[in-house]
Amino acid sequence: MVSGRIRRAWKLGLATLLAVVAVIAGNTATEPVFTAAVTLDTAPAVPGVPLRLAYGASPDMFGDLYLPTTGAAPYPVVVLIHGGGWSQNRTLDHVGPLAASLAQAGVAVWNIEYRRVNGVGGWPITLTDVDDAVRSLATVVNLRSGNRLDLQRVHLAGHSAGGQLAAWVAGRQTTGTERALNPIRIRSATLMAGVLDLEFAVNNGRDGYVRKLLGGRPDDVPDRYRMASPIAHLPVGVRISALHGDRDTVVAPAQSRRYVAAAQRAGETADLQILDGIGHGEFADANSPAWAAARKTILEHVATLR
């Protein structure tokens, strides 16, 4: 369990980083655009039709809001975070069918994009973008939904790199002063083949994606690894479910096993599902048994955590 002193130092360090990022952004005349043009909607949200909304000034700071066609408002919300090695070669469209399948079950979905490695993201922008995207539920997203979101029933779900981002945001927004002041209440995090111990990923799996995200190896930038690794910031105070395929050769199942064990030692309610015959990418396939298991888990959390 992280001591109160270490947790306070982490939050102070992150606040300093956020301030630096803001200054840099304010002094940058032109930000290069590495993605296709994004058309943002100005009409109100309509059930069954995704609405593209900006949550920040960068071209990659946007998301798609899905309102359900069934049930009554206010709707619980699932924040869906795509993977892809934190890299520019994956976008939120990769998990659009997953968002639609959740919306069909009566929940609102905020499927988010963020600045990524090989574009204008990386440390710490990729992480802080996701933090901003979740916080925007209480402002622009709820406003454009017609105030139909239940901000006290927010659930996070992420695949691969998105699992790291989901777990990191859960730790960022649910503890201490953050929780007391936050108008959003995060109830659960469902982590699909997540990268949850970044130092372990580099030292044991030779993961090049992590090194690109953080700008070096653990010996080079140890503070970044401590700040970015979800396993270093337990407990987070939300229901945790980790799912992993036993045939995953991209992210080792040990990532989920180690994280859930650490969460349980820290007093969290956490469970682990190791899925037989499942690899890594299947979680992003809306027709796969892997997604069926993850969807079931997410919807169970939505139904029971009120």
Side-chain angles (χ1 to χ4, degrees):
M1 182 181 298
V2 178
S3 71
R5 184 172 61 183
I6 293 174
R7 186 179 295 279
R8 287 192 296 272
W10 170 61
K11 290 186 180 295
L12 179 60
L14 183 58
T16 303
L17 283 168
L18 288 168
V20 171
V21 170
V23 170
I24 293 172
N27 291 331
T28 302
T30 303
E31 182 181 79
V33 178
F34 290 85
T35 58
V38 174
T39 301
L40 301 174
D41 294 319
T42 57
V46 176
V49 180
L51 178 70
R52 184 152 291 187
L53 302 172
Y55 65 83
S58 169
D60 277 341
M61 297 177 75
F62 67 91
D64 289 341
L65 174 65
Y66 295 71
L67 293 183
T69 56
T70 62
Y75 304 113
V77 186
V78 173
V79 180
L80 187 60
I81 310 172
H82 73 82
W86 304 276
S87 179
Q88 197 73 12
N89 66 345
R90 283 286 189 271
T91 73
L92 85 177
D93 293 332
H94 189 59
V95 294
L98 310 187
S101 77
L102 288 170
Q104 290 167 3
V107 300
V109 182
W110 178 224
N111 181 21
I112 64 169
E113 193 55 272
Y114 48 91
R115 287 176 285 183
R116 304 175 300 290
V117 176
N118 301 324
V120 292
W123 173 263
I125 291 171
T126 295
L127 282 73
T128 56
D129 275 5
V130 174
D131 189 54
D132 288 343
V134 174
R135 292 178 189 278
S136 72
L137 285 171
T139 54
V140 62
V141 180
N142 195 32
L143 179 64
R144 295 293 299 280
S145 79
N147 295 310
R148 287 179 281 183
L149 305 181
D150 188 344
L151 300 181
Q152 296 301 298
R153 297 173 64 198
V154 174
H155 303 263
L156 307 178
H159 172 230
S160 191
Q164 179 268 332
L165 294 167
W168 184 84
V169 167
R172 167 76 179 147
Q173 294 197 15
T174 61
T175 55
T177 305
E178 283 287 339
R179 182 166 188 168
L181 299 177
N182 197 343
I184 297 165
R185 185 172 181 186
I186 297 172
R187 297 302 188 111
S188 75
T190 300
L191 313 172
M192 298 167 274
V195 189
L196 305 168
D197 183 338
L198 302 187
E199 183 172 352
F200 182 83
V202 171
N203 290 338
N204 294 272
R206 299 179 179 84
D207 190 316
Y209 292 106
V210 173
R211 295 197 299 272
K212 287 183 178 180
L213 172 70
L214 298 183
R217 295 182 56 83
D219 292 343
D220 302 324
V221 285
D223 289 345
R224 295 183 182 184
Y225 277 81
R226 281 192 293 271
M227 289 185 182
S229 288
I231 201 169
H233 303 295
L234 293 165
V236 296
V238 305
R239 181 74 165 83
I240 295 169
S241 290
L243 297 89
H244 220 116
D246 67 348
R247 295 187 181 180
D248 193 333
T249 60
V250 178
V251 176
Q255 284 282 343
S256 290
R257 289 194 179 99
R258 289 165 53 83
Y259 182 76
V260 168
Q264 291 171 343
R265 288 195 299 270
E268 302 276 25
T269 301
D271 68 276
L272 172 66
Q273 301 176 48
I274 299 294
L275 305 181
D276 293 340
I278 297 298
H280 186 74
E282 289 96 315
F283 285 103
D285 179 356
N287 298 312
S288 71
W291 171 244
R295 182 178 184 271
K296 180 176 182 287
T297 299
I298 294 166
L299 293 177
E300 285 177 350
H301 291 335
V302 170
T304 59
L305 301 174
R306 295 178 176 272

